[in-house]
Amino acid sequence: MSDGLNTDDLDARIAIARDNLRQLTEQAAAYSGAADEERAADRIAEQQAELDALLKEREQHK
């Protein structure tokens, strides 16, 4: 996933993932229709999985 990033790089990617999650959540709130909601939920789940992996890797650096 992160290919052995250093702590600063991990922190930057974590910040990006958190911002992406915030934006996706805001977009999902504006969507209407089942297909849009499902697509938004999938994107949020993917982004959350990436954030979780980055956080786990950062924790291993400590």
PDB file of all heavy atoms in Angstrom, residues 28-37:
ATOM      1  N   ALA A  28     -21.670  12.697  -0.228  1.00  0.00           N
ATOM      2  CA  ALA A  28     -22.699  11.672  -0.029  1.00  0.00           C
ATOM      3  C   ALA A  28     -23.967  12.285   0.546  1.00  0.00           C
ATOM      4  O   ALA A  28     -25.070  11.861   0.210  1.00  0.00           O
ATOM      5  CB  ALA A  28     -22.175  10.570   0.886  1.00  0.00           C
ATOM      6  N   ALA A  29     -23.811  13.274   1.396  1.00  0.00           N
ATOM      7  CA  ALA A  29     -24.973  13.926   1.994  1.00  0.00           C
ATOM      8  C   ALA A  29     -25.791  14.667   0.935  1.00  0.00           C
ATOM      9  O   ALA A  29     -27.006  14.823   1.080  1.00  0.00           O
ATOM     10  CB  ALA A  29     -24.535  14.892   3.086  1.00  0.00           C
ATOM     11  N   ALA A  30     -25.140  15.080  -0.139  1.00  0.00           N
ATOM     12  CA  ALA A  30     -25.828  15.825  -1.192  1.00  0.00           C
ATOM     13  C   ALA A  30     -26.424  14.914  -2.269  1.00  0.00           C
ATOM     14  O   ALA A  30     -27.248  15.358  -3.068  1.00  0.00           O
ATOM     15  CB  ALA A  30     -24.861  16.808  -1.845  1.00  0.00           C
ATOM     16  N   TYR A  31     -26.010  13.648  -2.321  1.00  0.00           N
ATOM     17  CA  TYR A  31     -26.485  12.732  -3.349  1.00  0.00           C
ATOM     18  C   TYR A  31     -27.930  12.334  -3.094  1.00  0.00           C
ATOM     19  O   TYR A  31     -28.388  12.265  -1.966  1.00  0.00           O
ATOM     20  CB  TYR A  31     -25.650  11.449  -3.380  1.00  0.00           C
ATOM     21  CG  TYR A  31     -24.255  11.602  -3.923  1.00  0.00           C
ATOM     22  CD1 TYR A  31     -23.240  10.748  -3.515  1.00  0.00           C
ATOM     23  CD2 TYR A  31     -23.937  12.579  -4.850  1.00  0.00           C
ATOM     24  CE1 TYR A  31     -21.951  10.868  -4.009  1.00  0.00           C
ATOM     25  CE2 TYR A  31     -22.653  12.707  -5.338  1.00  0.00           C
ATOM     26  CZ  TYR A  31     -21.669  11.853  -4.926  1.00  0.00           C
ATOM     27  OH  TYR A  31     -20.409  11.970  -5.410  1.00  0.00           O
ATOM     28  N   SER A  32     -28.602  12.027  -4.182  1.00  0.00           N
ATOM     29  CA  SER A  32     -29.925  11.424  -4.069  1.00  0.00           C
ATOM     30  C   SER A  32     -29.981  10.239  -5.024  1.00  0.00           C
ATOM     31  O   SER A  32     -29.349  10.241  -6.066  1.00  0.00           O
ATOM     32  CB  SER A  32     -31.014  12.439  -4.415  1.00  0.00           C
ATOM     33  OG  SER A  32     -30.876  12.850  -5.758  1.00  0.00           O
ATOM     34  N   GLY A  33     -30.689   9.229  -4.643  1.00  0.00           N
ATOM     35  CA  GLY A  33     -30.800   8.042  -5.473  1.00  0.00           C
ATOM     36  C   GLY A  33     -29.934   6.919  -4.961  1.00  0.00           C
ATOM     37  O   GLY A  33     -28.828   7.134  -4.477  1.00  0.00           O
ATOM     38  N   ALA A  34     -30.452   5.724  -5.068  1.00  0.00           N
ATOM     39  CA  ALA A  34     -29.786   4.551  -4.513  1.00  0.00           C
ATOM     40  C   ALA A  34     -28.422   4.298  -5.161  1.00  0.00           C
ATOM     41  O   ALA A  34     -27.463   3.961  -4.478  1.00  0.00           O
ATOM     42  CB  ALA A  34     -30.670   3.321  -4.651  1.00  0.00           C
ATOM     43  N   ALA A  35     -28.323   4.447  -6.466  1.00  0.00           N
ATOM     44  CA  ALA A  35     -27.058   4.174  -7.156  1.00  0.00           C
ATOM     45  C   ALA A  35     -25.976   5.142  -6.703  1.00  0.00           C
ATOM     46  O   ALA A  35     -24.831   4.739  -6.459  1.00  0.00           O
ATOM     47  CB  ALA A  35     -27.248   4.258  -8.661  1.00  0.00           C
ATOM     48  N   ASP A  36     -26.320   6.426  -6.582  1.00  0.00           N
ATOM     49  CA  ASP A  36     -25.352   7.419  -6.120  1.00  0.00           C
ATOM     50  C   ASP A  36     -24.919   7.134  -4.690  1.00  0.00           C
ATOM     51  O   ASP A  36     -23.747   7.239  -4.351  1.00  0.00           O
ATOM     52  CB  ASP A  36     -25.939   8.829  -6.202  1.00  0.00           C
ATOM     53  CG  ASP A  36     -26.058   9.325  -7.630  1.00  0.00           C
ATOM     54  OD1 ASP A  36     -25.313   8.829  -8.496  1.00  0.00           O
ATOM     55  OD2 ASP A  36     -26.896  10.202  -7.875  1.00  0.00           O
ATOM     56  N   GLU A  37     -25.862   6.781  -3.845  1.00  0.00           N
ATOM     57  CA  GLU A  37     -25.556   6.500  -2.440  1.00  0.00           C
ATOM     58  C   GLU A  37     -24.656   5.269  -2.311  1.00  0.00           C
ATOM     59  O   GLU A  37     -23.725   5.263  -1.508  1.00  0.00           O
ATOM     60  CB  GLU A  37     -26.836   6.314  -1.641  1.00  0.00           C
ATOM     61  CG  GLU A  37     -27.621   7.607  -1.488  1.00  0.00           C
ATOM     62  CD  GLU A  37     -28.985   7.415  -0.869  1.00  0.00           C
ATOM     63  OE1 GLU A  37     -29.297   6.309  -0.391  1.00  0.00           O
ATOM     64  OE2 GLU A  37     -29.753   8.394  -0.864  1.00  0.00           O
TER      65      GLU A  37
END
